[in-house]
């Protein structure tokens, strides 16, 4: 909008979702409601039958927002503060429920008036245009918006400011040569961050049964293992995205997680939902080329990870036991895809080893929190005084995994499978080195990553893991 001498006399109305904030509170509120009570998913169609206003009313009645953590667009905030300093009247005009809009207006302290959805009225498109024209006259206000729902309001405004526009709003802006406030566009790095590509490394566990059976070059088993890896990776990314939807409020209160694509508003929830659909199609289509047993394990994984995201992650101890089980499930998936049997020894080792890593993850969260005694970590079932118990349990699990491995190495199964079984013995101290080093770093406050990802990325860990793999191969020659 061009500067004009009569700007003080003409109020500036500003849209909320997508304009003032880089997100949509309807979508966020819906996921917050589902997290609070997953069964409300069955009520959503009935609310929508009564119109969007009914859905917004239901969400606003059950959910609260924290205006301080929302992803405001700095370019828009800067402009509004300049306009306020020049004595201009500012109006928040939004289809968001009034409860949310007024909370944001109070927090920012910028707006002189709030027009929002209230009761049975959904204040978008034509209704918003009508409300602004009634309040300030046709052409008696300027308007900042971002989407096709704002086109009718743009037409009734004196001047328009188009912010981070969708396709329809971009076409309108180009046609009318109105002011454009551009914002940073998401890039490939943002999409990779959404998918958590680095977490796909965990799915290498699918190859463990194949490696331990010495079937590295068996094409009939290798191809299904690769397909299983692709299927699990796509499914894992889909679940990570859904988990991000449910954890928006928690992520925004976290010093590093607030930079995640959805928490920061760099990617929209509808884009994420479309990505989830595509990823699940890829996962299921790939699984169709493996075995029915693998498809069953994949289904269990999807159900378990969804349950973990919705509620289990907030349950004391059940969360870490579930995480250990999910890692072990990857090994079972590899066995199901390739037809290789897995032993009791492998499953027992896996449970203890990954339980230790899950506990170190919680320990790091406890160490990095600034809570007082008696307070719980946000979104978790642990209190600050649980640190030592978690550490003791984690180190005990680490030693248990090494003990199980040592007993396995001394079993008749190893003597039958390996030509030189004595070369397998160094695996026990290697496991102890990996786990104890992680625990020492955690106690030093030097571990800031997922422990499994840390092992994969850390060069010292890479060396000892490689040495262990070489010993396994040579022992079998």
């Amino acid at each position: 909008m061009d500067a004009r001498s009569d700007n003080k006399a003409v109020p500036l109305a500003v849209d909320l979702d997508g304009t003032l904030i880089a997100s949509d509170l309807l979508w966020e509120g819906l996921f917050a409601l589902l997290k609070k009570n997953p069964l409300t998913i069955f009520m959503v169609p009935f609310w929508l039958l009564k119109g969007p206003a009914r859905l917004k009313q239901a969400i606003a009645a059950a959910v609260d927002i924290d205006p301080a953590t929302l992803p405001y667009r700095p370019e828009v905030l800067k402009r509004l503060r300049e306009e306020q300093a020049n004595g201009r009247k500012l109006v928040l005009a939004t289809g968001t429920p009034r409860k949310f809009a007024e909370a944001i207006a109070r927090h920012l302290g910028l707006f002189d008036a709030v027009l929002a959805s209230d009761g049975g009225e959904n204040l978008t498109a034509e209704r918003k245009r009508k409300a602004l024209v009634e309040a300030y006259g046709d052409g008696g206000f300027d308007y900042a918006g971002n989407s096709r729902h704002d086109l009718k309001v743009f037409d009734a405004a004196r001047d328009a400011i188009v912010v981070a526009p969708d396709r329809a709003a971009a076409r309108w802006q180009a046609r009318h040569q109105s002011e454009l406030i551009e914002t940073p566009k998401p890039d490939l790095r943002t999409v990779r961050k959404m998918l958590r590509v680095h977490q796909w490394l965990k799915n290498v566990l699918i190859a463990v049964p194949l490696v331990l059976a010495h079937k590295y070059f068996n094409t009939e088993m290798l191809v299904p293992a690769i397909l299983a890896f692709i299927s699990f990776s796509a499914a894992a990314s889909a679940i990570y995205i859904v988990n991000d939807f449910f954890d928006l409020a928690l992520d925004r209160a976290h010093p590093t997680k607030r930079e995640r694509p959805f928490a920061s508003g760099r990617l929209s929830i509808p884009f994420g939902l479309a990505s989830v659909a595509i990823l699940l199609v890829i996962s299921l289509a790939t699984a169709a080329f493996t075995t029915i047993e693998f498809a069953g394990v994949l289904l269990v994984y999807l159900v378990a990870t969804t349950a973990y995201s919705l509620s289990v992650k907030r349950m004391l101890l059940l969360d870490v036991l579930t995480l250990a089980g999910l890692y072990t499930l990857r090994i079972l998936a590899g066995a199901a895809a390739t037809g290789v049997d897995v032993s009791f020894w492998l499953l027992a080792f896996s449970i203890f080893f990954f339980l230790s890593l899950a506990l170190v993850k919680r320990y790091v969260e406890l160490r990095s929190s600034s809570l007082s005694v008696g307070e719980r970590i946000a979104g978790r079932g642990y209190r600050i005084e649980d640190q030592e118990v978690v550490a003791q349990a984690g180190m005990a699990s680490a030693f248990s995994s090494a003990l199980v491995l040592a007993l396995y190495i001394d079993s008749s199964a190893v003597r039958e499978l390996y030509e030189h079984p004595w070369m397998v013995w160094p695996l026990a101290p290697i496991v102890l080195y990996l786990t104890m080093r992680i625990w020492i770093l955690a106690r030093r406050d030097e571990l800031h990553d997922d422990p499994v990802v840390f092992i994969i990325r850390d060069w010292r860990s890479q060396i000892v893991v490689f040495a262990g793999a070489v010993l396994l191969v040579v022992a079998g020659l």
Side-chain angles (χ1 to χ4, degrees), residues 195-448:
L195 296 174
R196 312 268 186 94
V197 172
H198 65 283
Q199 297 285 3
W200 292 358
L201 294 170
K202 296 177 181 179
N203 296 324
V204 171
L205 290 170
I206 285 172
V208 167
L210 197 65
V211 171
L212 294 181
H214 303 166
K215 303 292 184 182
Y216 334 106
F217 305 112
N218 187 322
T219 307
E220 291 183 0
M221 293 184 176
L222 191 58
V223 171
I226 293 172
L227 292 174
F229 174 84
I230 295 171
S231 179
F232 249 70
S233 297
S237 289
I239 296 299
Y240 282 128
I241 293 171
V242 173
N243 182 67
D244 284 350
F245 294 161
F246 287 117
D247 281 353
L248 285 171
L250 292 174
D251 286 350
R252 286 174 182 154
H254 193 276
T256 57
K257 292 180 181 179
R258 64 187 178 190
E259 296 303 322
R260 286 179 173 174
F262 298 105
S264 64
R266 287 196 293 272
L267 292 178
S268 69
I269 290 179
F271 177 84
L273 288 171
S275 301
V276 168
I278 293 170
L279 288 165
L280 289 178
V281 168
I282 292 172
S283 178
L284 296 174
T286 310
F289 289 95
T290 58
T291 65
I292 189 67
E293 291 81 7
F294 172 78
V297 175
L298 178 65
L299 181 61
V300 172
Y301 175 79
L302 288 170
V303 171
T305 48
T306 302
Y308 177 82
S309 297
L310 285 173
S311 61
V312 176
K313 68 192 303 181
R314 299 190 294 276
M315 298 180 182
L316 179 69
L317 297 181
L318 284 179
D319 61 335
V320 290
L321 290 170
T322 301
L323 284 176
L326 289 172
Y327 283 116
T328 304
L329 204 59
R330 289 172 167 89
I331 296 174
L332 291 173
T338 59
V340 176
D341 291 332
V342 289
S343 67
F344 158 80
W345 296 106
L346 177 58
L347 297 180
F349 167 80
S350 175
I351 285 291
F352 284 118
F353 181 77
F354 290 113
L355 178 59
S356 179
L357 298 185
L359 285 165
V360 80
K361 190 173 182 180
R362 292 294 175 264
Y363 178 79
V364 169
E365 291 176 352
L366 287 166
R367 289 278 293 187
S368 60
S369 69
S370 56
L371 301 176
S372 302
V373 173
E375 293 182 320
R376 289 187 179 186
I377 299 180
R380 305 295 185 197
Y382 299 86
R383 301 192 307 200
I384 199 70
E385 58 266 35
D386 297 333
Q387 279 188 56
E388 280 309 308
V389 175
V390 170
Q392 290 168 18
M395 287 186 283
S397 295
F399 278 94
S400 297
S401 66
L403 177 61
V404 169
L405 182 57
L407 292 172
Y408 167 69
I409 292 171
D410 195 44
S411 69
S412 59
V414 169
R415 289 191 290 272
E416 293 173 4
L417 192 58
Y418 295 93
E419 288 293 325
H420 310 287
W422 61 271
M423 297 189 70
V424 186
W425 268 106
L427 291 180
I430 282 175
V431 167
L432 282 176
Y433 173 81
L434 289 173
T435 52
M436 294 310 299
R437 181 164 177 267
I438 280 178
W439 275 103
I440 289 171
L441 293 176
R443 283 183 169 271
R444 292 178 179 175
D445 296 325
E446 295 178 8
L447 183 70
H448 308 291

Side-chain angles (χ1 to χ4, degrees), residues 51-72:
R54 178 66 185 93
L55 176 60
K56 293 179 179 182
Q57 187 180 10
I59 290 172
V63 172
D64 293 315
I65 62 166
D66 181 2
T69 62
L70 293 176
Y72 297 99

Side-chain angles (χ1 to χ4, degrees), residues 128-202:
K128 185 186 290 188
R129 184 201 67 78
K130 182 180 178 182
L132 285 168
V133 169
E134 286 179 354
Y136 307 109
D138 195 357
F141 62 93
D142 293 339
Y143 181 72
N146 75 298
S147 75
R148 61 184 177 84
H149 300 292
D150 296 314
L151 300 186
K152 292 182 180 294
V153 190
F154 286 149
D155 290 335
R158 182 192 68 163
D159 274 339
I161 304 174
V162 183
V163 181
D166 63 12
R167 290 181 181 179
R171 287 195 296 269
W172 190 97
Q173 186 274 333
R175 192 164 58 248
H176 293 81
Q177 293 297 301
S178 60
E179 181 180 350
L180 173 66
I181 296 181
E182 295 192 75
T183 57
K185 299 283 193 298
D187 53 16
L188 185 59
R189 183 174 177 273
T190 307
V191 175
R192 282 204 313 268
K193 200 169 182 179
M194 174 193 76
L195 296 174
R196 312 268 186 94
V197 172
H198 65 283
Q199 297 285 3
W200 292 358
L201 294 170
K202 296 177 181 179

